[in-house]
Amino acid sequence: MLKIVIRVAAICLPLLLLCCCSMKQADAEVLAEARSLEGSGQVLLTWESAENAAGYAVFRSYEKDGTYDLVETLDGNKNCRFLDQKQNVGKTCYYKICCIADTQSEPECSAAIQPLEVRILEEVGQDPEDPLMLVNKNCWLSRTYVPTDLVSVGEFATAEMTAKGIVRSAYEKLYRAAGKQGLDIRIVSAYRDYALQKQLFAYWCRVDGKKQALRTSAKAGRSEHQTGYALDVSCASEGWDLKESFGLTPEGQWLADHCWKYGFIIRYKGETEAVTGYAYEPWHIRYVGEAAAKEIYEQNVTLEEYLGY
């Protein structure tokens, strides 16, 4: 009987160790979601962090029951998000995200994990009501895109203009807080439709040349202003104009230090042109929500980097 027990143990122990090793690979499923960033060929994957996970493995396939290839291995200390790029519009992709205990080993994809199905969407045509929607030179809006819930911000602006209601409410809090410090920061530009942005880009091409215009202005459909989430602001000492020197004013410095508290970020900082594609704009703020703005400010990253772009 003892011999039988020893023999069984000799057979089962290696199998048990093999199973344990597999669990150190990509065997554990995480709660995840995936969505296509319209018009860009990009898919944003986000998931909840798993306790004691050393990292995460992202797998992709173009067939639900096909072979899943490893796309990326991420450190467990990083944000739980990944941006998959350069997918063809109209194509359907399938993803599996697994937590791993050992980032030094090659992860294996578990067949037991249910895949996330995502169809790569065309340019944004309807408002997704998402403060984190990414619009830049690679992610664009359609000619007919109009954000919902546009309201007047004229009370806090140099002229009559509109932005999304949630942006107006957040900016009112920012404006009042700045006022308590003796600062008058007003909106000089907010929502712009496709046609107006097209006119503005053509104007700056004539004035500065196309090469410079591409650094300081967006083509129609590539401008955050069309989302209703972006604002340009200034102060009296700058003649309510949009100048880099605004960043050196008390108003500009206060804005850079405090706008995150109200859900805004300075979208185009001086050292981020290589990432965002645009030159320094201390006046351009973007509403992303208080939670995201706090993380972006504390991590000192761009919206692209925060989303894993």
Side-chain angles (χ1 to χ4, degrees):
M1 184 66 179
L2 180 60
K3 289 183 179 180
I4 295 175
V5 171
I6 293 174
R7 188 170 296 175
V8 170
I11 295 172
C12 293
L13 185 58
L15 293 175
L16 180 61
L17 291 173
L18 180 60
C19 289
C20 290
C21 289
S22 295
M23 286 301 291
K24 285 188 176 182
Q25 301 301 318
D27 246 356
E29 187 173 6
V30 295
L31 184 61
E33 62 178 17
R35 65 183 177 91
S36 169
L37 300 181
E38 295 92 332
S40 66
Q42 301 174 81
V43 177
L44 177 63
L45 304 165
T46 57
W47 58 91
E48 291 189 4
S49 60
E51 188 175 357
N52 299 323
Y56 304 93
V58 179
F59 296 88
R60 179 186 62 219
S61 177
Y62 297 112
E63 297 179 5
K64 185 176 182 178
D65 298 320
T67 300
Y68 283 78
D69 298 318
L70 179 64
V71 178
E72 188 71 37
T73 301
L74 301 168
D75 189 292
N77 294 321
K78 295 184 178 179
N79 290 326
C80 296
R81 53 173 57 86
F82 174 71
L83 193 68
D84 192 23
Q85 304 185 60
K86 298 181 179 178
Q87 300 304 313
N88 294 330
V89 170
K91 178 181 287 186
T92 298
C93 298
Y94 299 88
Y95 296 91
K96 292 186 178 184
I97 303 170
C98 320
C99 64
I100 53 180
D102 181 7
T103 56
Q104 302 304 314
S105 302
E106 185 72 11
E108 297 177 3
C109 186
S110 171
I113 295 178
Q114 292 299 309
L116 300 168
E117 180 177 336
V118 186
R119 186 174 183 275
I120 311 303
L121 301 176
E122 298 178 0
E123 63 191 11
V124 179
Q126 295 182 339
D127 190 348
E129 297 276 355
D130 185 356
L132 284 175
M133 66 184 296
L134 182 63
V135 175
N136 59 20
K137 292 183 178 181
N138 297 312
C139 306
W140 56 88
L141 305 167
S142 73
R143 293 173 178 269
T144 58
Y145 179 94
V146 178
T148 57
D149 190 29
L150 287 174
V151 299
S152 172
V153 294
E155 182 182 351
F156 314 108
T158 56
E160 180 57 37
M161 59 191 74
T162 59
K164 288 182 72 72
I166 192 172
V167 176
R168 184 199 184 281
S169 297
Y171 190 79
E172 180 177 0
K173 295 177 183 177
L174 183 154
Y175 182 83
R176 304 298 186 199
K180 291 180 180 179
Q181 303 301 315
L183 305 173
D184 186 9
I185 307 174
R186 299 188 191 180
I187 304 168
V188 298
S189 182
Y191 167 68
R192 302 175 194 155
D193 62 21
Y194 188 98
L196 176 57
Q197 188 62 35
K198 185 175 182 179
Q199 294 174 11
L200 287 173
F201 183 74
Y203 169 80
W204 288 115
C205 283
R206 292 193 300 271
V207 173
D208 296 331
K210 187 173 182 179
K211 184 177 181 179
Q212 178 63 15
L214 286 169
R215 296 182 63 235
T216 58
S217 180
K219 290 183 177 180
R222 275 73 162 175
S223 171
E224 285 196 325
H225 284 281
Q226 195 179 341
T227 70
Y229 287 113
L231 304 173
D232 290 338
V233 301
S234 190
C235 59
S237 65
E238 294 296 292
W240 305 111
D241 201 356
L242 304 178
K243 305 174 184 177
E244 283 192 9
S245 53
F246 171 73
L248 300 176
T249 65
E251 290 84 356
Q253 292 176 349
W254 184 92
L255 189 73
D257 291 337
H258 298 279
C259 70
W260 62 272
K261 298 176 183 178
Y262 308 95
F264 294 93
I265 59 172
I266 305 296
R267 185 66 173 91
Y268 307 119
K269 295 184 177 181
E271 70 281 3
T272 62
E273 185 173 353
V275 178
T276 65
Y278 294 103
Y280 177 45
E281 293 188 359
W283 60 81
H284 183 111
I285 58 176
R286 163 68 191 273
Y287 182 80
V288 294
E290 291 183 15
K294 182 176 185 293
E295 291 181 349
I296 290 171
Y297 175 80
E298 291 177 345
Q299 295 172 24
N300 191 30
V301 294
T302 63
L303 181 58
E304 281 84 358
E305 292 167 317
Y306 179 72
L307 293 174
Y309 182 83

